[in-house]
Coordinates of all heavy atoms in Angstrom, one line a residue:
V1 N 6.7 -11.4 0.5 CA 7.8 -11.8 -0.4 C 7.5 -13.2 -0.9 O 7.1 -14.1 -0.2 CB 9.2 -11.9 0.4 CG1 10.3 -12.4 -0.6 CG2 9.5 -10.5 1.0
R2 N 7.5 -13.3 -2.2 CA 7.3 -14.6 -2.9 C 8.5 -15.0 -3.7 O 9.1 -14.2 -4.4 CB 6.0 -14.6 -3.7 CG 6.0 -13.8 -4.9 CD 4.7 -13.9 -5.7 NE 4.7 -12.9 -6.8 CZ 3.8 -12.9 -7.7 NH1 2.8 -13.8 -7.7 NH2 3.8 -12.0 -8.7
I3 N 8.8 -16.3 -3.6 CA 9.9 -16.8 -4.3 C 9.3 -17.7 -5.5 O 8.5 -18.5 -5.2 CB 10.8 -17.7 -3.4 CG1 11.1 -17.1 -2.1 CG2 12.0 -18.3 -4.2 CD1 12.1 -15.9 -2.2
I4 N 9.8 -17.4 -6.7 CA 9.3 -18.2 -7.8 C 10.5 -18.8 -8.5 O 11.5 -18.2 -8.8 CB 8.6 -17.3 -8.8 CG1 7.4 -16.6 -8.1 CG2 8.2 -18.0 -10.1 CD1 6.7 -15.6 -8.9
R5 N 10.4 -20.1 -8.7 CA 11.5 -20.9 -9.4 C 10.9 -21.2 -10.8 O 9.9 -21.9 -10.9 CB 11.9 -22.2 -8.7 CG 12.4 -22.0 -7.3 CD 13.8 -21.4 -7.3 NE 14.3 -21.3 -5.9 CZ 15.3 -20.6 -5.6 NH1 16.0 -20.0 -6.5 NH2 15.7 -20.5 -4.4
L6 N 11.6 -20.8 -11.9 CA 11.2 -21.0 -13.2 C 12.3 -21.7 -14.0 O 13.5 -21.6 -13.7 CB 10.9 -19.7 -13.9 CG 9.7 -18.9 -13.3 CD1 9.6 -17.5 -14.0 CD2 8.4 -19.6 -13.4
A7 N 11.9 -22.4 -15.0 CA 12.9 -23.1 -15.9 C 13.7 -22.0 -16.7 O 13.2 -21.0 -17.0 CB 12.2 -24.0 -16.9
Q8 N 15.0 -22.3 -16.8 CA 15.8 -21.4 -17.6 C 15.6 -21.7 -19.1 O 15.3 -22.8 -19.5 CB 17.3 -21.7 -17.2 CG 17.6 -21.4 -15.8 CD 17.5 -20.0 -15.4 OE1 17.8 -19.1 -16.2 NE2 17.2 -19.7 -14.1
N9 N 15.8 -20.7 -19.9 CA 15.8 -20.8 -21.4 C 14.4 -21.3 -21.9 O 14.3 -22.2 -22.7 CB 16.9 -21.7 -21.9 CG 18.2 -21.1 -21.6 OD1 18.5 -19.9 -21.6 ND2 19.2 -22.0 -21.2
S10 N 13.3 -20.8 -21.3 CA 12.0 -21.2 -21.7 C 11.2 -20.0 -22.1 O 11.2 -18.9 -21.5 CB 11.3 -21.9 -20.5 OG 9.9 -22.1 -20.8
E11 N 10.4 -20.1 -23.2 CA 9.6 -19.0 -23.7 C 8.5 -18.7 -22.6 O 8.1 -17.6 -22.4 CB 8.9 -19.4 -25.0 CG 8.0 -18.4 -25.6 CD 8.8 -17.1 -26.0 OE1 10.0 -17.3 -26.4 OE2 8.2 -16.0 -26.0
A12 N 8.0 -19.7 -22.0 CA 7.0 -19.5 -20.9 C 7.6 -18.7 -19.8 O 6.9 -17.9 -19.2 CB 6.5 -20.9 -20.4
T13 N 8.8 -18.9 -19.4 CA 9.5 -18.2 -18.4 C 9.6 -16.7 -18.8 O 9.3 -15.8 -18.0 CB 10.9 -18.7 -18.1 OG1 10.8 -20.0 -17.7 CG2 11.7 -17.9 -17.1
T14 N 9.9 -16.4 -20.0 CA 10.0 -15.0 -20.5 C 8.7 -14.3 -20.4 O 8.6 -13.2 -19.9 CB 10.6 -15.0 -21.9 OG1 11.8 -15.7 -22.0 CG2 10.7 -13.6 -22.4
R15 N 7.6 -15.0 -20.8 CA 6.3 -14.5 -20.7 C 5.8 -14.3 -19.3 O 5.2 -13.2 -19.0 CB 5.3 -15.4 -21.4 CG 5.3 -15.3 -23.0 CD 4.1 -16.0 -23.6 NE 3.9 -17.3 -23.1 CZ 4.4 -18.5 -23.6 NH1 5.2 -18.4 -24.7 NH2 4.1 -19.6 -23.1
Y16 N 6.2 -15.2 -18.4 CA 5.8 -15.0 -17.0 C 6.5 -13.8 -16.3 O 5.9 -13.0 -15.6 CB 6.2 -16.3 -16.2 CG 5.6 -16.3 -14.8 CD1 4.3 -16.7 -14.6 CD2 6.4 -15.8 -13.7 CE1 3.8 -16.7 -13.3 CE2 5.8 -15.8 -12.5 CZ 4.5 -16.2 -12.2 OH 4.0 -16.2 -11.0
I17 N 7.8 -13.6 -16.7 CA 8.5 -12.5 -16.1 C 7.9 -11.2 -16.6 O 7.7 -10.2 -15.9 CB 10.0 -12.5 -16.5 CG1 10.7 -13.7 -15.8 CG2 10.7 -11.2 -16.2 CD1 12.1 -14.0 -16.3
Q18 N 7.5 -11.2 -17.9 CA 6.9 -10.0 -18.5 C 5.6 -9.7 -17.8 O 5.3 -8.5 -17.4 CB 6.6 -10.1 -20.0 CG 6.0 -8.9 -20.6 CD 6.1 -8.9 -22.1 OE1 6.9 -9.7 -22.7 NE2 5.3 -8.1 -22.7
R19 N 4.7 -10.7 -17.5 CA 3.5 -10.5 -16.8 C 3.7 -9.9 -15.4 O 3.0 -9.1 -14.9 CB 2.7 -11.8 -16.7 CG 1.9 -12.1 -18.0 CD 0.8 -13.1 -17.7 NE 1.3 -14.3 -17.1 CZ 1.5 -15.4 -17.7 NH1 1.3 -15.5 -19.0 NH2 2.0 -16.5 -17.1
C20 N 4.8 -10.5 -14.7 CA 5.1 -10.0 -13.3 C 5.4 -8.6 -13.3 O 5.0 -7.9 -12.4 CB 6.2 -10.8 -12.8 SG 5.8 -12.4 -12.1
V21 N 6.2 -8.1 -14.2 CA 6.6 -6.7 -14.2 C 5.5 -5.7 -14.7 O 5.6 -4.5 -14.4 CB 7.9 -6.4 -14.9 CG1 9.0 -7.2 -14.3 CG2 7.8 -6.7 -16.4
Q22 N 4.5 -6.2 -15.4 CA 3.5 -5.3 -16.0 C 2.1 -5.4 -15.3 O 1.3 -4.5 -15.6 CB 3.4 -5.6 -17.5 CG 4.6 -5.2 -18.3 CD 4.4 -5.4 -19.7 OE1 3.8 -6.4 -20.2 NE2 4.8 -4.4 -20.5
N23 N 1.8 -6.4 -14.5 CA 0.5 -6.6 -14.0 C 0.1 -5.7 -12.8 O -1.0 -5.7 -12.4 CB 0.2 -8.1 -13.8 CG 0.9 -8.7 -12.6 OD1 1.6 -8.0 -11.8 ND2 0.9 -10.0 -12.5
G24 N 1.1 -5.1 -12.2 CA 0.8 -4.2 -11.1 C 0.5 -4.9 -9.8 O 0.1 -4.2 -8.8
K25 N 0.8 -6.2 -9.7 CA 0.6 -6.9 -8.4 C 1.8 -6.9 -7.6 O 1.8 -7.3 -6.4 CB 0.1 -8.3 -8.7 CG -1.3 -8.3 -9.3 CD -1.8 -9.7 -9.6 CE -3.1 -9.7 -10.3 NZ -3.6 -11.0 -10.6
S26 N 2.9 -6.6 -8.1 CA 4.2 -6.5 -7.4 C 4.8 -5.1 -7.4 O 4.7 -4.4 -8.4 CB 5.3 -7.4 -8.1 OG 4.8 -8.8 -8.1

């Protein structure tokens, strides 16, 4: 289990979430 804290309302946050759900590592 990994906990990730990201800034709210950030374009980088949106891109990071997209990578997390599509990269197959989770």
Side-chain angles (χ1 to χ4, degrees):
V1 178
R2 67 179 174 169
I3 310 293
I4 300 172
R5 301 286 184 195
L6 299 172
Q8 300 290 330
N9 299 321
S10 167
E11 183 66 31
T13 297
T14 304
R15 285 193 309 269
Y16 189 85
I17 294 170
Q18 182 167 341
R19 279 197 308 258
C20 280
V21 297
Q22 289 184 319
N23 67 12
K25 294 180 181 179
S26 297

